[in-house]
Amino acid sequence: MTALTPHHDGSPLHVSDLAPSLGDVVTVRLRVPVGYAPLTAVRTRSNPDHEPEWTDAVRVGSAAGWDWWEAPVTVRNPRHGYRWMLQHADGTVEWLNQTGIHRIETLDAEDFALVAYPAPPAWLYDAVMYQVFPDRFARSAAADERPTPEWAIPAAWGDPVNPVMPARSQQFYGGDLDGIVDRLDHVVGLGANLLYLTPVFPAESNHRYDASSFDRVDPLLGGDEAYVRLIEAAHARGIRIIGDLTSNHSGDSHEWFRAAHGTPGADTAQYYCFTDDGNTEYVSWLGYPSLPKFDWSSPELRERFVTGPDSVVARWLKPPFATDGWRIDVANMIGRLGDVDLNEEVRRLLRQTMIEINPDTILLGESTNDAASDLQGDGWHGAMTYPSFTRPVWGWLSEPTGEPYLTADGEEETEAWFFGQPVGGIPRYTGCDFAAAVTRFTGGIPWRVRLGNMQPLDTHDTGRFATNAAPGTIPVAVGLAMTMPGLPVVFAGDEFGLTGADGESSRTPIPWGSETDAAVAERLALYRDLIALRRAHPVLATGGLRWVHVDDAAVAFVRESAGESALVLAARGDVDVELPAGAVIGAAGADAVFGDATLGVADDGAVVLSAEGPAFAVWMLPGVDAPEA
């Protein structure tokens, strides 16, 4: 039986104001199990201006087996960290931060945090994102009339993806924006309400991350007019839409770069990191010469890209386009090169420009590894990041098949791809490892920002999770994406059961017309049901998170709020666990809303969960009854 421990998180149950201003006093609350231990004092410890500050907590009452303590915290810095200190009668001191309860002092970086920067729009928390790779989503009738560009290797819609260079980046299926318009009812039917498109700017690749201009939409996609049609059609259906912008680099065919390459006196020469007097040598993304890196120390670049009234960032947020935000590619590398680090300046400029144009827009950054240092609320509302959810899910719920696939060089590989890491394939995690990884990689991120982190099973840059999913685990993985704190993401094609060994072969054209096939229909129904569950219950978007059971085969947690709570069980193996009284508040009134598992309540209030694994189940519970101050 899992022992109960003190609990606090950043949700409204425990924090009185999630969007404070500097100088505001925020009331924070701690829950301690009744009988946990005789406590002689409970305090918060903050570190404003890097000097410790303490406040005393008072016990305000008990409810459902928990004592509630309350303390004031004054927000003195834009990111104001705090932790709880529990002083026991026997002299023991414990510390509670975002990574759990500790007997020794903890790191400031893992404190709970109040964020005084402008808050993201509330709609972000109600969003379920659907990601589209335009070349592979759908073709309109107009696509047949457009000539194939010189750089492209044409492919018919039913042709297999060729992952070997040069086809890897040049195989061209011709999906376009009007094709997306034609299929928007599919997105509506799934229940997704936020559309994220990878780049739509002209380029010399199928992925378009090597933009030749940021001032117009690729004619191969239908041009500016088609983009307006798509945005208007999406908005009419209650779907918001965000674009994808490469602010770390452009393509080497970009008009700015062509004007500067070999011409030191060009107006745009300062935009790039040239390394010789003749402007013929330059820094590029990971050494790829087709992706020259921007130099963000240039005031001219900043004005043209971000701060000017007609800047790239501004143009697409204004009518007639009026997109709802940006996902920024390679956000972790922007403005960083050797001993130069302008990343914080640039992300704040991006955010400020967007607030000035339309504060109801969101800003997400790509930071595929440990993103905590950049995710403190000053710029990104969240990130496309993998170690806090995606990689742990793969490690726990995968069973690599060893099926061979081709690399970019045409070599055959049987070791399963794992996010580009040379670690011998997909690591084998237990349920304990999964929960520990999630806790570790979210421990340094303020709660408010964590809620905006994209939570995909896969993306256009990864293999498809289904490729190596252990039998029966896809409902578990999708269920976790929809019920854990964060922004759920569906990469177009997952709902059709598509597979792909790596980030190129996963970019498969959508098999329209297969929706009635038995296997596809079953997968579509799974996604529809779980997305509907997510959107029907706000607690799954903004409620707190409290783990109630973790073992090698299964994890269970509750998402909690004053209005409702949810108990979630995710298991790779069989489940037969007992949770102590007080672990699941209101379990006697549990309403099973998804999955095939059994919940029983003993006379003393203990809860028994059982299921044959793999299993995913959700029960809705009454809201948490907390004592008034």
Side-chain angles (χ1 to χ4, degrees):
M1 185 182 294
T2 304
L4 298 183
T5 58
H7 179 74
H8 175 83
D9 56 46
S11 70
L13 267 182
H14 300 91
V15 178
S16 65
D17 187 354
L18 273 63
S21 299
L22 283 176
D24 286 354
V25 178
V26 176
T27 299
V28 294
R29 284 187 158 195
L30 173 72
R31 276 191 278 176
V32 180
V34 170
Y36 179 70
L39 298 175
T40 57
V42 175
R43 299 185 176 93
T44 70
R45 183 268 193 190
S46 302
N47 200 33
D49 304 323
H50 287 254
E51 184 66 24
E53 178 177 272
W54 303 81
T55 65
D56 291 328
V58 297
R59 183 177 170 278
V60 294
S62 298
W66 294 81
D67 290 330
W68 289 73
W69 295 74
E70 184 174 282
V73 173
T74 302
V75 181
R76 304 197 187 278
N77 300 121
R79 184 261 186 209
H80 184 100
Y82 65 96
R83 70 189 70 150
W84 292 93
M85 187 216 71
L86 289 74
Q87 182 179 333
H88 294 243
D90 65 1
T92 300
V93 173
E94 290 184 307
W95 305 87
L96 179 67
N97 68 3
Q98 290 202 132
T99 61
I101 194 84
H102 306 271
R103 288 176 58 88
I104 60 173
E105 291 190 58
T106 56
L107 299 173
D108 290 348
E110 296 175 350
D111 280 348
F112 302 104
L114 302 168
V115 177
Y117 297 104
W123 65 258
L124 173 59
Y125 304 130
D126 182 49
V128 173
M129 177 183 281
Y130 189 76
Q131 183 193 355
V132 166
F133 189 83
D135 184 58
R136 312 291 164 84
F137 188 69
R139 283 175 64 100
S140 72
D144 296 334
E145 302 171 6
R146 300 184 189 114
T148 301
E150 292 184 4
W151 57 263
I153 301 172
W157 200 254
D159 289 350
V161 171
N162 185 345
V164 180
M165 290 297 290
R168 195 172 180 90
S169 62
Q170 294 176 307
Q171 191 175 23
F172 179 72
Y173 287 86
D176 61 359
L177 299 180
D178 284 320
I180 301 174
V181 173
D182 293 342
R183 298 292 181 173
L184 278 179
D185 287 344
H186 170 78
V187 181
V188 173
L190 280 180
N193 58 354
L194 175 59
L195 189 61
Y196 154 46
L197 304 186
T198 56
V200 298
F201 304 115
E204 294 186 349
S205 67
N206 53 39
H207 53 72
R208 296 184 171 88
Y209 283 100
D210 55 335
S212 59
S213 173
F214 296 119
D215 294 332
R216 59 188 180 277
V217 172
D218 193 337
L220 294 171
L221 292 173
D224 291 4
E225 296 79 7
Y227 199 31
V228 171
R229 288 193 293 272
L230 171 59
I231 295 164
E232 291 179 345
H235 285 171
R237 290 167 171 81
I239 299 172
R240 290 181 169 88
I241 184 168
I242 65 171
D244 198 337
L245 190 58
T246 56
S247 50
N248 177 72
H249 55 263
S250 73
D252 62 351
S253 62
H254 197 285
E255 50 213 13
W256 298 346
F257 184 76
R258 287 188 170 178
H261 189 232
T263 310
D267 292 341
T268 58
Q270 298 178 44
Y271 292 12
Y272 295 93
C273 300
F274 289 106
T275 58
D276 69 325
D277 292 339
N279 281 13
T280 59
E281 299 177 5
Y282 52 93
V283 179
S284 59
W285 181 71
L286 299 187
Y288 290 96
S290 61
L291 302 173
K293 184 176 177 68
F294 287 129
D295 181 354
W296 280 97
S297 67
S298 165
E300 291 82 3
L301 174 65
R302 293 185 179 202
E303 180 176 6
R304 194 157 182 182
F305 206 106
V306 184
T307 61
D310 298 317
S311 69
V312 173
V313 170
R315 167 178 167 75
W316 302 99
L317 300 178
K318 295 177 179 179
F321 306 104
T323 59
D324 299 289
W326 287 111
R327 179 265 194 188
I328 304 297
D329 184 58
V330 200
N332 53 295
M333 294 186 73
I334 296 169
R336 288 181 169 138
L337 183 63
D339 61 351
V340 175
D341 190 344
L342 302 173
N343 191 274
E344 181 178 335
E345 292 182 37
V346 177
R347 66 183 186 245
R348 289 190 180 194
L349 287 174
L350 288 164
R351 177 86 167 268
Q352 185 58 41
T353 292
M354 295 175 68
I355 290 172
E356 291 171 357
I357 294 170
N358 181 2
D360 204 37
T361 54
I362 62 169
L363 178 62
L364 305 176
E366 180 193 26
S367 188
T368 55
N369 295 292
D370 180 7
S373 62
D374 291 346
L375 290 177
Q376 296 304 313
D378 62 341
W380 320 119
H381 292 131
M384 176 185 277
T385 181
Y386 300 132
S388 59
F389 176 77
T390 312
R391 293 208 291 253
V393 168
W394 280 48
W396 184 32
L397 300 179
S398 294
E399 190 173 286
T401 63
E403 184 174 342
Y405 63 95
L406 295 178
T407 68
D409 298 326
E411 298 179 357
E412 188 174 276
E413 178 64 78
T414 57
E415 188 175 89
W417 179 93
F418 188 70
F419 300 87
Q421 299 191 73
V423 294
I426 302 173
R428 305 314 302 269
Y429 285 0
T430 64
C432 293
D433 296 330
F434 166 77
V438 170
T439 300
R440 172 175 293 174
F441 284 100
T442 58
I445 300 172
W447 176 262
R448 194 176 84 185
V449 181
R450 178 182 181 181
L451 294 182
N453 270 0
M454 294 169 61
Q455 199 150 267
L457 293 180
D458 41 53
T459 71
H460 69 295
D461 279 333
T462 78
R464 300 253 186 195
F465 170 76
T467 308
N468 292 288
T473 62
I474 286 176
V476 185
V478 180
L480 286 169
M482 296 297 161
T483 57
M484 294 195 74
L487 172 60
V489 180
V490 179
F491 176 34
D494 280 354
E495 75 275 27
F496 285 83
L498 296 185
T499 60
D502 63 13
E504 302 297 330
S505 55
S506 71
R507 301 172 183 179
T508 310
I510 305 300
W512 301 112
S514 66
E515 292 89 334
T516 57
D517 294 354
V520 175
E522 181 180 1
R523 188 67 55 83
L524 284 166
L526 172 71
Y527 273 87
R528 289 173 182 142
D529 290 348
L530 284 169
I531 292 173
L533 178 68
R534 167 77 180 212
R535 295 195 58 199
H537 297 286
V539 70
L540 296 176
T542 57
L545 171 72
R546 182 165 57 88
W547 299 96
V548 295
H549 179 80
V550 175
D551 65 27
D552 287 352
V555 302
F557 55 89
V558 284
R559 303 293 308 278
E560 296 175 308
S561 71
E564 62 176 352
S565 296
L567 170 63
V568 178
L569 172 68
R572 176 166 178 168
D574 293 343
V575 180
D576 188 8
V577 300
E578 184 178 349
L579 310 177
V584 181
I585 300 171
D591 178 22
V593 294
F594 189 90
D596 186 12
T598 300
L599 180 152
V601 182
D603 291 341
D604 65 354
V607 174
V608 176
L609 301 177
S610 60
E612 293 183 1
F616 181 79
V618 181
W619 296 265
M620 298 310 301
L621 310 167
V624 175
D625 183 17
E628 296 183 3

